[in-house]
Amino acid sequence: MDEETEEAAVLRLEQAGYQQRFPGTVKEAESVEELLADEMSKLTMLEQDIISFDVHGISLEVEETEDLVTQSLSEMEKELQKIEKKSAYEKALNMNPEYVSSRSFRLQFLRCEAFNCKHAASRVVLHFQQKEELFGSGDVLVRDVRLSDLDENTLEVFKSGVLQILPNRDVNGRPVICMFLTKWKTKTDVKGAQRLLYYTLQCTGQDEDLQHKGVVAILYFAGKKASAISLNLVKDIYRVRLCMPHVLDAMHYCYENKKMRPLVSGLRFFVGKRARMRCRVHFGNQEHILFQLQTYGITIPEDSPLRRVHGDFPLTWHEEWLQIRQAQETELAELGGAKPRIVLPHRFDVLFGRGTKVRSHTGNIRALHLVNIWQPRYDGASNRFEKAGISERIISMIHESSGRFLKWDEERGWLEVDDETARDKISHWFRNQRRSKADKDTSKKTTSKRNRSISETETENNVRVLVGGID
């Protein structure tokens, strides 16, 4: 099921009679939904299972061996040479061949296309073409786009939070990008919207772990009025997604007003086949929609903007994210190099700090489970060196699963702590668990003693009653 080209998607709309617009009535929406259902029914059971696994975040990754990577990079280069129209790509290659030909850069596109070298090469060419159209042919063509590359109006829209990366990954470690389409209060042109999406996708793609896992997208229509979304606007936005090295594993369309049904049906119908098959629609009130999203592993804490779609957005997280991005980009521009800052922790990272968000993080839950497993051996250790060795073993197990020990810094995001600090954290958990167990045992003994005392008193009273009754 290859990604359908934009031209093929438009042709399919024209054949259905919607070449200039989306479905406009419920009846037209029903026709579109019947076509989508028919398309899904023609898939094999295996194809349907693969789609379901992707949507729920349990899809199998390509086994990435060194031989596969080396061979694919070589084949990809050959495919790039076969493409005739690639002026933006060639311009970038002449400006900075190290950037364009770098292993890390090209691997993003290979992973996105499951190591289909021909498709990866085509996406690279489209990437530079789209980047030149949006940001020009200056030095930005051969470097990452920065917040400073966005115009004032586009940046104002971005700061409003209508497009943002949510503060929590889903339960499978995938970042969740959310667009609140009916919250666009400040007008922005089409290119401004394209630039926002380009920048947001670029930010999520810089993490190698996410290149394997893919991303989840949510389009939320809140309120009673639909945005003035045209087919041409969707075409332009969709073109940006096609040029980026991202695997879109799931797309959730959420709407509360039944009048938006034709619009949502049109949006689903337009996108390419791979994305179209991974679309899920959620209709109802806000509580019902949030419940449905959670069944797909999307975590929604109390401070999530998804819980405030009808009021002012809680922008604390989004502002922190923008601040960290700005600091990193400034450091990169001034110093010529900067280590990527950690904004979204990985699934098995262990977080320092307090609060529900930290305690409920998957990595913390897993680490605490490991502590519970090793608790008897730790308590039975004869000296502190043996205990330190047990703590080191747990740290190694966390590192082996790509987990890190992170501490939050308001200006720099999540920072990885040294091994000594990590060891202190694990040792602290061991002591807390032992203390907690002792408190529970004491509480049980006290409760048992109290119950026994009450029982003895009741028995004595009953005997007195019986004796009194006999007298």
Side-chain angles (χ1 to χ4, degrees), residues 141-393:
L141 193 62
V142 288
R143 63 165 171 80
D144 289 340
V145 175
R146 302 168 187 157
L147 286 169
S148 58
D149 296 315
L150 304 178
D151 62 83
E152 185 176 343
N153 186 53
T154 301
L155 195 56
E156 181 183 352
V157 174
F158 200 15
K159 289 179 179 179
S160 72
V162 294
L163 174 65
Q164 57 178 289
I165 301 171
L166 297 186
N168 295 82
R169 300 177 188 238
D170 73 354
V171 295
N172 298 293
R174 300 175 297 182
V176 181
I177 299 174
C178 196
M179 183 180 291
F180 301 92
L181 293 173
T182 47
K183 300 285 283 189
W184 287 63
K185 296 179 181 179
T186 306
K187 292 184 178 180
T188 185
D189 58 16
V190 174
K191 284 198 178 297
Q194 288 179 297
R195 293 186 187 110
L196 283 185
L197 182 59
Y198 184 104
Y199 180 81
T200 304
L201 290 175
Q202 172 194 275
C203 292
T204 60
Q206 292 173 337
D207 190 327
E208 184 175 325
D209 182 59
L210 305 186
Q211 295 171 21
H212 295 282
K213 294 180 181 295
V215 298
V216 176
I218 298 175
L219 276 67
Y220 203 113
F221 299 84
K224 298 181 179 180
K225 294 183 179 180
S227 300
I229 301 175
S230 66
L231 181 60
N232 287 334
L233 174 61
V234 175
K235 283 169 55 180
D236 291 331
I237 296 297
Y238 185 63
R239 187 181 293 114
V240 174
R241 198 193 71 74
L242 289 179
C243 83
M244 300 300 288
H246 279 71
V247 178
L248 184 62
D249 274 344
M251 182 179 290
H252 298 272
Y253 293 99
C254 309
Y255 70 105
E256 302 174 5
N257 181 6
K258 62 182 179 181
K259 292 181 179 180
M260 294 186 186
R261 181 179 173 184
L263 174 62
V264 172
S265 297
L267 286 170
R268 291 175 62 202
F269 196 51
F270 173 75
V271 299
K273 185 175 183 180
R274 187 186 187 283
R276 188 165 63 248
M277 294 295 98
R278 288 158 177 78
C279 290
R280 297 295 180 267
V281 178
H282 312 291
F283 168 69
N285 58 34
Q286 184 183 7
E287 182 179 357
H288 174 75
I289 289 173
L290 295 186
F291 173 77
Q292 289 294 317
L293 290 175
Q294 290 179 89
T295 64
Y296 286 91
I298 297 173
T299 56
I300 307 175
E302 289 301 320
D303 59 348
S304 172
L306 286 168
R307 294 190 181 274
R308 298 278 294 278
V309 294
H310 295 291
D312 295 331
F313 275 130
L315 292 174
T316 304
W317 154 254
H318 189 55
E319 290 171 349
E320 287 180 351
W321 182 85
L322 288 172
Q323 180 182 351
I324 294 170
R325 292 293 312 176
Q326 183 68 65
Q328 178 174 329
E329 291 168 9
T330 300
E331 185 178 339
L332 181 65
E334 294 178 352
L335 304 179
K339 185 178 180 180
R341 303 197 178 193
I342 304 169
V343 184
L344 285 177
H346 291 170
R347 183 182 182 187
F348 292 136
D349 287 339
V350 177
L351 309 183
F352 284 61
R354 298 179 178 179
T356 304
K357 184 181 294 186
V358 170
R359 289 196 303 271
S360 62
H361 182 67
T362 305
N364 287 51
I365 295 173
R366 176 175 178 265
L368 194 56
H369 178 65
L370 291 173
V371 167
N372 285 330
I373 292 174
W374 286 81
Q375 186 78 50
R377 188 174 299 184
Y378 185 88
D379 291 341
S382 57
N383 55 63
R384 62 187 181 89
F385 297 106
E386 190 175 343
K387 290 182 177 181
I390 294 173
S391 296
E392 286 285 358
R393 175 56 183 152

